[in-house]
């Protein structure tokens, strides 16, 4: 490997050929400010259009300033990252960006989390000397995501996520010059496009140009309404990330504090989506075994591999992109929707309240869940099973608004009968978790023997695509895992071409799975946070005595009292769904 | 950008596919493909862009991005009688701007637009090499020299059905 010696801010540094000035500086602890640049280490995601010019540095012997993110180091280079010329140039660059940016920081959804705001503060900007026309564009509101393009700084990060990582291809820069914006094809609204609402664009947007639809005010009103019984369910990945919003170390589990905070907020019943995750495993695991045994008994019309169906962005992805394969995914609804369906039937009967008076709210690491609960097939006479979904970020905002001292809260538990869950349900929050949970149950149901070991290390990790063969007592089961829709696409293409050897595949739309969901606290490019969240989730599982879905006593009771058995008529009615061909649904305004 | 909804005939789709094929369906040839396709159809309606996108395996948003970036590409069909006004230096100093304004007024459309009946479209161009006749206007292949705002009506009259 060719090595290069250079000097940055009077410090010598040696780097491999092909290293940028930005990376070389980082190596010796010099953080050059950036704006459009984004590097999600470990996920092979990099955006360096060299467009914003915030990272400019002075290179001796070079006439103009160099963008550090897009300039390779050369032998003997002498770099100054904070000369007067550099500082002035950076300031001017940000002032020029701000001259075409709305001044509504005080009421902007991104305030406090905005990288442009941070930069303006860091560079000591107190005035914007440039006055002129500001670009204006209509606001685009979809069920999950709001596009406010006036706040777009054309960093193109969302384009990289949408096109290269997720391969969804909704967002692209269009027009030129002052008119340039990032928009879907033909400037259609997001809800007319093939957008999956995965929210990865929201996660990487440095400003408030892309944000989630906010349901907090509706929630406050419902909580205050004495006529309404408000039920909350919390997804597994939320408890591994919520603490970050209160300054806790990434990877701190706050399950108990979260339950207490929800109680303080005034919810009538604090339940757990994990309960429904166990239910999902009962249905999906049984479906897997069903399909598998029928196939092994010689019926080759059975569709294999079976694909998981918990992730609403993934569901919308295949409905648009692979509608011809819509019979392959499991028909099991997601845990969010299973929870809603059971809450508004089984539980409504138990407490003798009409479903119209029940408000089921979900706390999700996701923005696609907002869209999912609005889908027509999850409504009964127009009344949705889950009324609306709020993100981890929105919950944190609510807790702060209600003046609850989160750190001082005692731990408390979930209510019964939809609060008990297994460790298998907890790991739904990370890539590989759903399939591991399914294996734990399917193995025992199939073999009739207890599993010798519950931890399937071979299914864990953060690589984009993974595979393993699990021995079901002499029957080898091939399992595939993909997270990030670009990786999912690769597996789907293999299936389409008849090359797939998998029996079951788990797919999550977001890199990392739900821990990296579009509704989680912003990580600002620090992927070690995702690793910490993942670790926390596996720790919560390991710490539980109940670690298999089919051993959850509340689930056993639910089947005894209400559903009968997995894949029963009632289960099909309440817990399963069907998919739509959305290829022709996209339309031009 | 507004767009006109059309339904592509099977043979149109085949033709687009053929053009894409002649560039080996390479995503990197997008601009060349669009150039050829516009040569055939006269413009690039959304439906055409969708076929190009699927053939080259790029997103429709990306195709639309390229179409809207380059002023050469248009999503609006040219009129049966495309009116082009030269706004090159010589024509400009001899009053092309006033002539253009008159055309806009008479046709009720702006530059880059077509009349709703599809009869006329209006564009500007730079120098047709007839500076001695400035200001110059072209309608289709026919050239008009020394055009004054007063003469605009007469020119348009020639194209009455």
């Amino acid at each position: 490997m060719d090595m290069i010696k250079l000097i940055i801010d009077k410090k010598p540094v040696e780097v491999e050929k092909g290293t940028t000035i930005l990376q070389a500086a980082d190596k010796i602890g010099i953080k050059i400010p950036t704006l459009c640049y984004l590097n999600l280490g470990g996920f092979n995601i990099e955006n360096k259009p060299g467009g914003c010019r915030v990272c400019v540095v002075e290179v001796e012997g070079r006439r103009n300033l160099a963008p550090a993110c897009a300039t390779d180091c050369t032998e003997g280079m002498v770099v100054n990252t904070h000369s007067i010329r550099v500082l002035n140039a950076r300031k001017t660059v940000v002032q020029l960006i701000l001259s075409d940016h709305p001044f509504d920081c005080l009421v902007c959804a991104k305030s406090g989390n905005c990288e442009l705001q941070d930069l303006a503060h860091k560079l000591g900007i107190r005035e914007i000397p440039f006055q002129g026309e500001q670009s204006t564009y209509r606001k685009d509101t979809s069920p999950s995501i709001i596009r406010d393009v006036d706040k777009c700084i054309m960093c193109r990060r969302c384009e990289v996520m949408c096109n290269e990582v997720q391969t969804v291809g909704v967002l692209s820069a269009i027009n030129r010059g002052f008119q340039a914006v990032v928009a879907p094809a033909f400037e259609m609204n997001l809800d007319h496009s093939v957008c999956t609402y995965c929210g990865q664009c929201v996660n990487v947007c440095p400003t408030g140009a892309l944000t989630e639809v906010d349901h907090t005010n509706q929630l406050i009103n419902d909580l205050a309404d004495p006529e309404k019984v408000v039920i909350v369910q919390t997804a597994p990945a939320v408890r591994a990330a919520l603490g970050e919003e209160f300054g806790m170390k990434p990877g701190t589990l706050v399950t108990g504090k979260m339950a207490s905070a929800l109680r303080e907020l005034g919810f009538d019943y604090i339940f757990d989506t994990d309960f429904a995750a166990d239910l999902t495993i009962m249905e999906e695991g049984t479906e897997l075994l069903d399909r598998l045994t029928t196939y092994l008994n010689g019926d080759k019309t059975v569709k294999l591999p079976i694909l998981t169906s918990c992730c609403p962005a993934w569901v919308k992805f295949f409905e648009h992109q692979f509608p011809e394969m819509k019979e392959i995914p499991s028909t099991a609804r997601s845990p969010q929707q299973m929870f809603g369906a059971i809450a508004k039937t089984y539980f409504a009967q138990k407490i003798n309240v009409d479903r119209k008076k029940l408000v089921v709210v979900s706390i999700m690491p996701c923005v696609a869940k907002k869209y999912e609960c609005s889908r027509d097939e999850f409504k009964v006479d127009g009344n949705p099973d889950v009324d609306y979904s709020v993100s981890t970020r929105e919950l944190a905002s609510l807790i702060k608004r209600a003046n609850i001292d989160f750190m001082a809260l005692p731990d408390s538990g979930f209510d019964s009968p939809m609060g008990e869950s297994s460790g298998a349900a907890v790991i739904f929050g990370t890539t590989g978790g759903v399939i591991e949970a399914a294996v734990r149950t399917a193995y025992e149901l199939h073999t009739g023997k207890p599993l010798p070991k519950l931890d399937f290390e071979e299914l864990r990790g953060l690589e984009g695509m993974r595979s393993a063969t699990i021995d079901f007592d002499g029957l080898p089961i091939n399992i595939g895992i993909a997270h990030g829709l670009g990786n999912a696409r690769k597996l789907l293409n293999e299936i389409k071409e008849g090359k797939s050897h998998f029996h079951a595949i788990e797919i999550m739309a977001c890199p990392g799975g739900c821990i990296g969901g579009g509704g989680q606290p912003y990580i600002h490019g620090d992927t070690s946070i995702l690793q910490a969240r993942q670790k926390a989730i596996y720790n919560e599982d390991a710490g539980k005595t109940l670690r298999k879905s089919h051993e959850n006593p509340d689930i056993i009771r639910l089947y005894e009292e209400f559903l009968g058995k997995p894949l029963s008529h009632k289960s099909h009615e309440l817990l399963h769904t069907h998919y739509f061909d959305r290829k022709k649904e996209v339309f031009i305004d | 950008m507004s767009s006109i909804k059309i339904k592509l005939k099977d043979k149109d789709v085949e033709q687009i596919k053929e053009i894409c094929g002649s560039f080996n369906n390479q995503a990197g040839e997008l601009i060349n493909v669009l150039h050829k396709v516009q040569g055939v159809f006269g413009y690039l309606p959304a439906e055409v862009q969708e076929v190009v996108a699927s053939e080259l395996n790029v997103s429709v948003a990306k195709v639309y991005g390229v179409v809207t970036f380059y002023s050469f590409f248009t999503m609006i069909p040219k009129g049966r009688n495309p009116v082009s006004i030269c706004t090159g230096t010589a024509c400009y100093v001899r009053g092309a701007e006033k002539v253009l304004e008159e055309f806009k007024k008479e046709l009720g459309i702006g530059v880059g637009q077509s009349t709703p009946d599809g009869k006329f479209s209006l564009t500007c161009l730079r120098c047709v090499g007839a500076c001695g006749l400035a200001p110059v206007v072209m309608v289709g292949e026919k050239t008009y020299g020394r055009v004054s705002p007063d003469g605009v009506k007469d020119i348009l009259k020639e194209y009455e059905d």
Side-chain angles (χ1 to χ4, degrees):
Chain A
M1 186 57 76
D2 285 349
M3 296 303 282
I4 286 170
K5 284 186 187 138
L6 69 156
I7 292 172
I8 303 176
D9 292 347
K10 298 186 181 127
K11 293 191 190 89
V13 55
E14 195 171 357
V15 293
E16 284 173 13
K17 201 176 170 199
T19 307
T20 62
I21 296 174
L22 184 72
Q23 291 164 330
D26 189 61
K27 207 179 156 190
I28 48 172
I30 298 168
K31 304 275 180 215
I32 299 172
T34 55
L35 184 56
C36 64
Y37 180 79
L38 178 75
N39 186 354
L40 295 181
F43 289 92
N44 206 15
I45 299 168
E46 195 179 30
N47 177 54
K48 51 170 183 179
C52 74
R53 260 30 197 190
V54 163
C55 68
V56 286
V57 293
E58 198 164 1
V59 178
E60 263 182 33
R62 186 178 154 140
R63 195 166 52 87
N64 50 1
L65 298 176
C69 75
T71 308
D72 283 352
C73 298
T74 55
E75 185 62 42
M77 203 181 225
V78 179
V79 179
N80 190 337
T81 74
H82 52 66
S83 67
I84 293 299
R85 194 178 160 210
V86 164
L87 294 187
N88 281 338
R90 264 182 213 149
K91 194 168 168 180
T92 307
V93 160
V94 174
Q95 281 173 330
L96 280 167
I97 294 172
L98 290 172
S99 73
D100 186 20
H101 195 86
F103 296 109
D104 65 349
C105 293
L106 281 177
V107 292
C108 178
K110 208 57 183 285
S111 186
N113 258 313
C114 174
E115 292 176 36
L116 182 60
Q117 191 182 43
D118 282 355
L119 205 54
H121 178 70
K122 198 172 169 185
L123 298 181
I125 292 172
R126 292 287 173 271
E127 56 172 359
I128 292 111
F130 310 108
Q131 304 276 323
E133 197 186 338
Q134 297 212 336
S135 47
T136 53
Y137 198 84
R138 67 172 199 275
K139 243 190 190 187
D140 173 14
T141 303
S142 69
S144 296
I145 295 169
I146 300 173
R147 283 172 58 232
D148 187 357
V149 178
D150 294 352
K151 294 178 182 170
C152 174
I153 54 159
M154 294 299 278
C155 71
R156 321 290 283 270
R157 289 181 185 177
C158 57
E159 259 187 272
V160 168
M161 292 312 277
C162 191
N163 294 284
E164 289 168 34
V165 179
Q166 301 295 63
T167 66
V168 172
V170 165
L171 296 174
S172 174
I174 58 152
N175 296 329
R176 69 192 296 172
F178 196 63
Q179 267 71 43
V181 290
V182 173
F186 315 123
E187 299 179 56
M188 65 175 85
N189 288 331
L190 270 189
D191 64 346
H192 294 165
S193 75
V194 297
C195 177
T196 66
Y197 303 127
C198 71
Q200 287 302 313
C201 57
V202 174
N203 270 3
V204 297
C205 181
T207 70
L210 292 160
T211 52
E212 75 262 47
V213 170
D214 190 306
H215 283 100
T216 52
N217 291 324
Q218 188 178 357
L219 177 52
I220 290 171
N221 285 335
D222 282 335
L223 287 170
D225 188 340
E227 292 293 305
K228 287 179 175 160
V229 176
V230 190
I231 298 173
V232 68
Q233 53 161 322
T234 60
V238 177
R239 66 208 63 187
L242 180 64
E244 292 163 28
E245 290 276 348
F246 301 92
M248 295 167 101
K249 222 174 92 210
T252 312
L253 277 170
V254 293
T255 320
K257 284 191 193 304
M258 177 180 68
S260 298
L262 293 168
R263 223 162 251 123
E264 290 266 329
L265 283 171
F267 285 97
D268 295 293
Y269 294 95
I270 320 291
F271 288 144
D272 200 353
T273 314
D274 291 19
F275 165 84
D278 279 333
L279 189 56
T280 302
I281 288 304
M282 296 305 290
E283 295 294 327
E284 199 170 285
T286 311
E287 194 186 351
L288 164 68
L289 284 179
D290 229 39
R291 279 206 215 173
L292 202 59
T293 43
T294 321
Y295 181 84
L296 293 174
N297 289 338
D299 184 352
K300 300 298 181 207
T301 60
V302 169
K303 300 267 198 298
L304 279 179
I306 188 170
L307 309 178
T308 57
S309 55
C310 310
C311 170
W314 147 237
V315 167
K316 194 158 184 279
F317 179 77
F318 75 70
E319 285 182 328
H320 282 293
Q321 315 264 353
F322 294 89
E324 67 279 8
M325 288 158 74
K326 69 183 165 64
E327 309 305 326
I328 301 181
S330 161
T331 58
R333 290 184 193 179
S334 71
Q336 164 175 280
Q337 293 310 132
M338 285 201 181
F339 181 95
I342 295 298
K344 288 202 174 173
T345 54
Y346 172 71
F347 183 67
Q349 283 167 26
K350 261 193 192 290
I351 58 169
N352 199 20
V353 175
D354 185 73
R355 69 176 284 142
K356 289 196 180 70
K357 283 193 176 173
L358 282 181
V359 180
V360 175
V361 180
S362 68
I363 315 286
M364 292 282 147
C366 182
V367 293
K369 289 284 173 191
K370 292 172 185 284
Y371 153 77
E372 184 187 45
C373 64
S374 75
R375 287 176 66 134
D376 284 338
E377 64 270 29
F378 299 135
K379 291 174 183 167
V380 176
D381 300 330
N383 178 269
D385 289 342
V386 175
D387 291 80
Y388 46 89
S389 168
V390 302
S391 67
T392 312
R393 293 190 293 262
E394 286 171 88
L395 174 62
S397 153
L398 266 177
I399 294 170
K400 288 172 193 169
R401 229 179 293 175
N403 213 15
I404 294 168
D405 184 356
F406 189 76
M407 302 299 281
L409 285 174
D411 285 349
S412 70
F414 294 100
D415 292 329
S416 183
M418 296 174 73
E420 181 72 84
S421 69
S422 74
V426 176
I427 58 175
F428 264 59
T430 168
T431 166
V434 173
I435 208 74
E436 180 170 339
V439 165
R440 288 183 195 172
T441 288
Y443 179 96
E444 296 202 351
L445 293 184
H446 179 73
T447 62
K449 295 178 191 166
L451 266 173
K453 190 170 141 287
L454 284 178
D455 299 305
F456 289 88
E457 295 296 342
E458 58 272 47
L459 298 174
R460 300 183 180 184
L462 278 173
E463 301 83 64
M465 285 196 283
R466 310 191 292 283
S467 63
T469 302
I470 309 284
D471 178 18
F472 270 40
D473 204 22
L475 175 66
I477 301 291
N478 300 326
I479 286 171
I481 295 165
H483 56 120
L485 290 169
N487 294 323
R489 183 185 287 278
K490 287 180 200 153
L491 288 187
L492 283 172
N493 279 333
E494 278 179 17
I495 300 171
K496 210 166 150 184
E497 291 159 14
K499 287 185 195 153
S500 182
H501 65 287
F502 295 120
H503 297 109
I505 295 177
E506 179 205 282
I507 294 176
M508 294 294 158
C510 293
C514 305
I515 48 169
Q520 290 281 59
Y522 296 111
I523 64 168
H524 298 293
D526 183 358
T527 45
S528 73
I529 293 175
L530 297 188
Q531 288 166 6
R533 290 177 189 166
Q534 187 181 53
K535 206 165 159 235
I537 287 210
Y538 284 123
N539 283 345
E540 171 126 318
D541 166 40
K544 285 207 167 204
T545 41
L546 181 63
R547 295 188 64 195
K548 297 171 222 166
S549 299
H550 56 287
E551 290 176 357
N552 180 339
D554 282 356
I555 292 289
I556 295 168
R557 194 174 333 119
L558 174 68
Y559 277 108
E560 279 171 6
E561 288 180 6
F562 191 65
L563 292 169
K565 59 181 181 28
L567 304 185
S568 69
H569 180 71
K570 196 151 205 165
S571 293
H572 266 293
E573 194 186 308
L574 292 173
L575 309 180
H576 289 259
T577 185
H578 50 281
Y579 306 111
F580 299 88
D581 179 349
R582 296 193 194 275
K583 202 145 208 167
K584 291 281 158 235
E585 221 177 65
V586 174
F587 59 95
I588 304 155
D589 300 290
Chain B
M1 185 178 277
S2 61
S3 161
I4 288 152
K5 272 187 193 152
I6 58 153
K7 177 103 182 72
L8 287 180
K9 296 191 191 83
D10 287 347
K11 75 167 183 28
D12 296 336
V13 175
E14 277 317 306
Q15 202 169 0
I16 300 168
K17 285 186 177 171
E18 229 168 75
I19 293 170
C20 294
S22 72
F23 289 97
N24 295 326
N25 291 356
Q26 296 259 320
E29 298 282 358
L30 177 58
I31 291 174
N32 289 329
V33 168
L34 290 173
H35 208 122
K36 274 246 160 129
V37 175
Q38 182 164 295
V40 171
F41 291 87
Y43 71 121
L44 295 166
E47 294 74 3
V48 167
Q49 294 180 40
E50 278 167 1
V51 179
V52 170
S54 111
E55 287 302 297
L56 303 189
N57 200 19
V58 295
S59 73
V60 192
K62 164 111 192 196
V63 175
Y64 180 72
V66 170
V67 168
T68 54
F69 184 86
Y70 294 102
S71 58
F72 173 78
F73 296 125
T74 174
M75 287 178 68
I76 299 165
K78 267 193 186 156
R80 290 189 295 283
N81 306 295
V83 179
S84 309
I85 290 128
C86 179
T87 49
T89 313
C91 289
Y92 193 87
V93 296
R94 306 263 310 205
E97 181 102 353
K98 287 196 182 103
V99 175
L100 173 63
E101 285 309 312
E102 193 61 22
F103 271 108
K104 281 193 201 165
K105 209 176 85 194
E106 282 300 314
L107 296 173
I109 54 173
V111 174
Q113 293 179 334
S114 301
T115 52
D117 60 3
K119 202 164 155 188
F120 293 103
S121 55
L122 194 58
T123 50
C124 289
L125 49 75
R126 295 293 156 102
C127 199
V128 293
C131 305
L133 296 174
V136 174
V137 169
M138 288 183 78
V139 181
E141 297 296 307
K142 194 172 172 187
T143 310
Y144 298 84
R146 304 241 160 83
V147 180
S148 70
D150 297 341
V152 166
K153 267 192 190 129
D154 290 338
I155 293 174
L156 292 175
K157 228 176 235 163
E158 285 182 36
Y159 298 90
E160 269 177 12
D161 298 318

